[in-house]
Amino acid sequence: MTLPASHPMIDGRTADSPLVRAFLGESAGARAERTGRAPSTPVWFMRQAGRSLPEYRERRAGIAMLDACLDPEVASDLTLQPVRRHGVDAAIFFSDIVVPLLLAGVDVRIVPGTGPVLGSPVRTAEDVARLPVLDEGALAPISEGVARTVAALGGTPLIGFAGAPFTLATYLVEGGPSKDHLRARTMMHADPAAWAALLSWAAQVSGAFLRAQVLAGASAAQLFDSWAGALSLADYRAHAAPFSAQTLAPVRDLGVPVVHFGTNTGELLAAMRDVGADVIGVDHRLGLDEANRRLEGRTVLQGNIDPALLGAPWPVLEAHVREVLRRGSQAPAHVLNLGHGVPPSTDPEVLTRIVRLAHGER
Amino acid sequence: MTLPASHPMIDGRTADSPLVRAFLGESAGARAERTGRAPSTPVWFMRQAGRSLPEYRERRAGIAMLDACLDPEVASDLTLQPVRRHGVDAAIFFSDIVVPLLLAGVDVRIVPGTGPVLGSPVRTAEDVARLPVLDEGALAPISEGVARTVAALGGTPLIGFAGAPFTLATYLVEGGPSKDHLRARTMMHADPAAWAALLSWAAQVSGAFLRAQVLAGASAAQLFDSWAGALSLADYRAHAAPFSAQTLAPVRDLGVPVVHFGTNTGELLAAMRDVGADVIGVDHRLGLDEANRRLEGRTVLQGNIDPALLGAPWPVLEAHVREVLRRGSQAPAHVLNLGHGVPPSTDPEVLTRIVRLAHGER
């Protein structure tokens, strides 16, 4: 199966956008040559649709996080806000990695200031066997939200996203956020069969969520394995990577570029690419030149402005962004982003300034 | 200045102990040859004096954490408990990295389930200038607690410890525990002069705390830079390492071995050694064989049983411990430990079993 005939990647709306071109390996130099414009680097920000924006706080007022995710109009409005404000090169669909769990029927809510909290944690083979099957019809609000957003975005691509099974499992097993994900990692070793069943289930629901976004018009897909850095390379390869590959399989055949991101993953970059990613997102800890070396110079990179620098005076931040761009220029192609999500305390003006800098508007 | 004449390292009580010998580079094979006994690996556990032990929970009942640290009798009793129960090769003094801050007059307390919380965070140059000077006389309860413990320990060495300035600064700047230490890392770049003043202050109080423990009889010293892994190598070298070296200076001249540990520090191992450590502690993410390679095969290693495995069935854990021992045997010497602290939920019997395994008692 391929993309539907009216998809923005097919009808050309986004296929030549700087972001999609870069994700597919076109360098800034090659793009400048093709378009006859000055070189620039595409840029977007993880969690750009979020509390750093006053218009976001206004639109979200009185609406619980998961209710906002399931309301196509609200989700679409929130997705579009940072594109309009900052002029970033991509929107990322406003949602949450636990949304497909909720749509499958899992008792999960997002507690402000805490994160996802489960009604009952999933810790045994019996718990895993009781997990509900996702009826793909339940994904309708997601497809509708994406379709609305894509129609409004025109030539700007939308990135769909989903959580990787390991990261989803940390919440499912622990029952909420946790520091070292000890219970989840214990289950991985103590009951590998139940672990595999749990991660296969997560791959199925998360993969369906990602595929629905792409079929409805997303031009790229990003898999978040936020907590993969808690694993050794050996554990990642044996107990996480196969299920990430399983999550990506339903979108691999659609032909949109796939980004893979996690924090603390300096040791895992090649393994994370090898599950089926075109682009690797790098957090602030590792220079993009070194990340490029670890990926044998053959993988597009995304990242990695240190979110902590967003609070520093502009000259300090500007020097840092230029250094990120310089190191990123060693990769086949580079999409500028943060090394993690936008902190809620960020002054949005600073993000707009970074976009101008990346676009070469001095 | 050197150790006082009655110090256990001088009078020989601990100088030939397996732990001190291993810290100073004696391999298990060389030790077996010297002593004529079967090869064994010295072992202790970070946070071995803690809530995993019923006798600990009983002794601590009704006593706040920092009150326990400042009561020489309580601190000594708690320090001795795991040595008596498990037969580990070392005690680590029961205390907390914020104790010297408290003794200097900083308003800090430890909130159960949360961690260290400051009365007022330290965020500006003015805040730093107002930090109190530590009167070394205030360290008397620590010296007394160490002296009592050492007298009771006989030939078993006591490890003194302290927090590294970066990790202390994450609490001081944030006002409590934090996930990415964003405010602290922003200050590092936004106001490097205030940052340096803050970390110099932390080095002074933490170094005095460590030195007091060694002078009172500790046979080794461990510096905890638990959150150093939040930094890139460049930031670590520029904004953290010099102050860790400054913390260790007051004990370097005493001649006891120094261990340096942090989590998520696979990229930082050599830099952490180069601040003045004899032994590098490694967390569960990186195999000791790879850590040894990164340290050019010339540094003693400590670690790195995955704490998540403590909850797995014994055959799974045993295979993991044997694998850690096998990889550790590639280093000049190896002291078995966990990759982080003992989780409170740990069955203490499991720790005793690991000690027997390391000691070759089948």
Side-chain angles (χ1 to χ4, degrees):
Chain A
M1 177 154 180
T2 53
L3 294 172
S6 68
H7 192 280
M9 281 283 275
I10 299 292
D11 64 24
R13 263 184 292 158
T14 66
D16 281 341
S17 65
L19 181 98
V20 166
R21 282 282 190 158
F23 275 171
L24 294 172
E26 184 178 67
S27 70
R31 192 163 49 250
E33 204 166 298
R34 178 172 57 82
T35 60
R37 296 194 195 145
S40 78
T41 303
V43 53
W44 66 280
F45 303 107
M46 289 186 281
R47 216 189 292 149
Q48 63 189 13
R51 280 180 289 155
S52 64
L53 301 184
E55 60 268 34
Y56 173 92
R57 297 193 296 268
E58 195 180 311
R59 189 74 178 89
R60 269 287 311 278
I63 310 178
M65 174 65 189
L66 291 176
D67 291 342
C69 294
L70 295 183
D71 182 323
E73 196 180 321
V74 175
S76 179
D77 287 355
L78 294 172
T79 303
L80 295 167
Q81 285 176 347
V83 180
R84 290 176 176 147
R85 176 188 272 261
H86 301 306
V88 281
D89 291 276
I92 182 152
F93 189 56
F94 180 82
S95 197
D96 191 275
I97 61 169
V98 300
V99 162
L101 279 50
L102 178 74
L103 293 175
V106 171
D107 175 12
V108 59
R109 67 214 156 89
I110 293 182
V111 178
T114 300
V117 173
L118 279 283
S120 51
V122 181
R123 294 186 182 161
T124 65
E126 293 68 40
D127 294 340
V128 176
R130 272 197 301 269
L131 282 166
V133 174
L134 173 67
D135 167 7
E136 297 201 4
L139 293 167
I142 304 306
S143 305
E144 191 188 329
V146 167
R148 287 180 82 103
T149 308
V150 166
L153 276 170
T156 301
L158 176 71
I159 302 169
F161 79 93
F166 172 72
T167 290
L168 289 170
T170 66
Y171 295 107
L172 287 161
V173 179
E174 307 277 351
S178 58
K179 218 166 93 177
D180 290 326
H181 322 304
L182 274 180
R183 276 205 195 86
R185 296 195 302 104
T186 299
M187 182 179 173
M188 172 188 287
H189 292 283
D191 192 348
W195 177 259
L198 173 61
L199 269 73
S200 284
W201 177 86
Q204 196 275 324
V205 300
S206 206
F209 174 63
L210 193 59
R211 182 176 172 89
Q213 294 172 67
V214 174
L215 289 178
S219 297
Q222 177 159 325
L223 190 67
F224 282 86
D225 206 353
S226 308
W227 312 139
L231 299 175
S232 66
L233 177 59
D235 279 349
Y236 178 75
R237 281 196 202 278
H239 300 292
F243 308 100
S244 296
Q246 202 177 315
T247 312
L248 290 176
V251 298
R252 286 307 305 166
D253 64 344
L254 297 178
V256 299
V258 170
V259 189
H260 199 179
F261 170 78
T263 59
N264 253 320
T265 52
E267 312 284 344
L268 310 179
L269 297 178
M272 288 178 70
R273 174 190 55 204
D274 296 346
V275 303
D278 305 289
V279 182
I280 289 293
V282 181
D283 86 354
H284 73 275
R285 290 172 179 82
L286 196 72
L288 292 180
D289 48 347
E290 174 62 17
N292 182 55
R293 199 188 61 74
R294 294 185 190 185
L295 292 160
E296 307 100 25
R298 59 185 175 90
T299 303
V300 177
L301 295 183
Q302 178 173 283
N304 68 348
I305 298 168
D306 186 343
L309 271 288
L310 297 176
W314 175 251
V316 174
L317 174 56
E318 181 184 4
H320 173 64
V321 174
R322 287 188 191 278
E323 179 68 9
V324 169
L325 289 168
R326 190 186 66 73
R327 291 175 190 248
S329 70
Q330 299 185 28
H334 175 214
V335 171
L336 187 64
N337 205 315
L338 306 182
H340 204 168
V342 175
S345 60
T346 304
D347 173 2
E349 291 297 317
V350 166
L351 299 179
T352 306
R353 241 172 139 169
I354 293 173
V355 173
R356 292 210 191 99
L357 182 60
H359 288 173
E361 300 156 25
R362 304 297 137 85
Chain B
M1 178 155 178
T2 52
L3 293 172
S6 67
H7 193 281
M9 281 283 276
I10 299 293
D11 63 24
R13 263 184 292 157
T14 66
D16 281 340
S17 65
L19 182 98
V20 166
R21 283 281 189 159
F23 276 172
L24 294 173
E26 184 178 67
S27 69
R31 192 164 48 252
E33 205 164 299
R34 177 172 57 81
T35 60
R37 296 193 197 149
S40 78
T41 302
V43 53
W44 66 281
F45 304 108
M46 289 187 281
R47 215 188 294 148
Q48 63 189 12
R51 279 181 290 156
S52 64
L53 302 183
E55 60 268 34
Y56 172 92
R57 297 193 296 268
E58 194 180 311
R59 189 74 178 88
R60 268 288 310 280
I63 310 178
M65 175 65 190
L66 292 176
D67 290 342
C69 294
L70 295 182
D71 182 322
E73 195 179 323
V74 175
S76 179
D77 286 355
L78 295 171
T79 303
L80 295 167
Q81 284 176 347
V83 180
R84 288 173 178 151
R85 176 188 271 262
H86 301 307
V88 282
D89 291 276
I92 182 151
F93 188 57
F94 180 81
S95 196
D96 190 276
I97 62 169
V98 301
V99 162
L101 280 52
L102 178 75
L103 292 176
V106 171
D107 176 12
V108 58
R109 68 215 156 88
I110 294 182
V111 178
T114 299
V117 173
L118 279 283
S120 51
V122 181
R123 294 186 183 163
T124 65
E126 294 69 40
D127 294 341
V128 176
R130 271 196 301 270
L131 283 166
V133 173
L134 173 67
D135 167 7
E136 298 201 3
L139 294 166
I142 305 305
S143 305
E144 191 188 330
V146 167
R148 288 180 82 103
T149 308
V150 166
L153 276 171
T156 301
L158 176 72
I159 302 170
F161 78 95
F166 171 72
T167 290
L168 289 170
T170 66
Y171 295 106
L172 287 160
V173 179
E174 308 276 352
S178 57
K179 217 166 94 176
D180 290 328
H181 322 304
L182 274 180
R183 277 205 193 86
R185 296 194 302 106
T186 299
M187 181 179 174
M188 172 187 287
H189 293 284
D191 193 347
W195 177 258
L198 173 61
L199 270 72
S200 284
W201 178 85
Q204 196 274 322
V205 300
S206 207
F209 175 63
L210 193 58
R211 182 176 172 90
Q213 293 172 69
V214 174
L215 289 178
S219 296
Q222 178 158 325
L223 190 66
F224 281 87
D225 206 353
S226 310
W227 312 138
L231 299 175
S232 67
L233 177 58
D235 278 350
Y236 178 75
R237 280 196 202 279
H239 301 291
F243 308 100
S244 296
Q246 202 176 315
T247 312
L248 290 177
V251 299
R252 287 306 306 167
D253 64 344
L254 298 178
V256 299
V258 169
V259 189
H260 198 178
F261 171 78
T263 59
N264 253 319
T265 51
E267 312 284 344
L268 310 179
L269 297 178
M272 288 178 70
R273 173 190 55 204
D274 296 345
V275 304
D278 306 288
V279 182
I280 290 293
V282 181
D283 86 354
H284 72 275
R285 290 171 180 82
L286 197 72
L288 292 181
D289 47 347
E290 174 61 18
N292 182 55
R293 200 190 60 75
R294 294 185 190 185
L295 292 160
E296 306 99 24
R298 59 185 175 92
T299 303
V300 177
L301 295 182
Q302 179 173 282
N304 69 347
I305 297 167
D306 186 344
L309 270 288
L310 297 176
W314 174 251
V316 175
L317 174 56
E318 180 183 5
H320 174 64
V321 174
R322 288 188 190 277
E323 179 68 9
V324 169
L325 289 168
R326 189 187 65 74
R327 292 175 190 249
S329 70
Q330 299 185 26
H334 175 215
V335 170
L336 187 64
N337 205 315
L338 305 182
H340 204 169
V342 176
S345 60
T346 305
D347 173 3
E349 291 296 317
V350 165
L351 299 179
T352 306
R353 240 171 140 170
I354 292 173
V355 173
R356 291 210 192 100
L357 182 60
H359 287 172
E361 302 156 24
R362 303 298 136 85

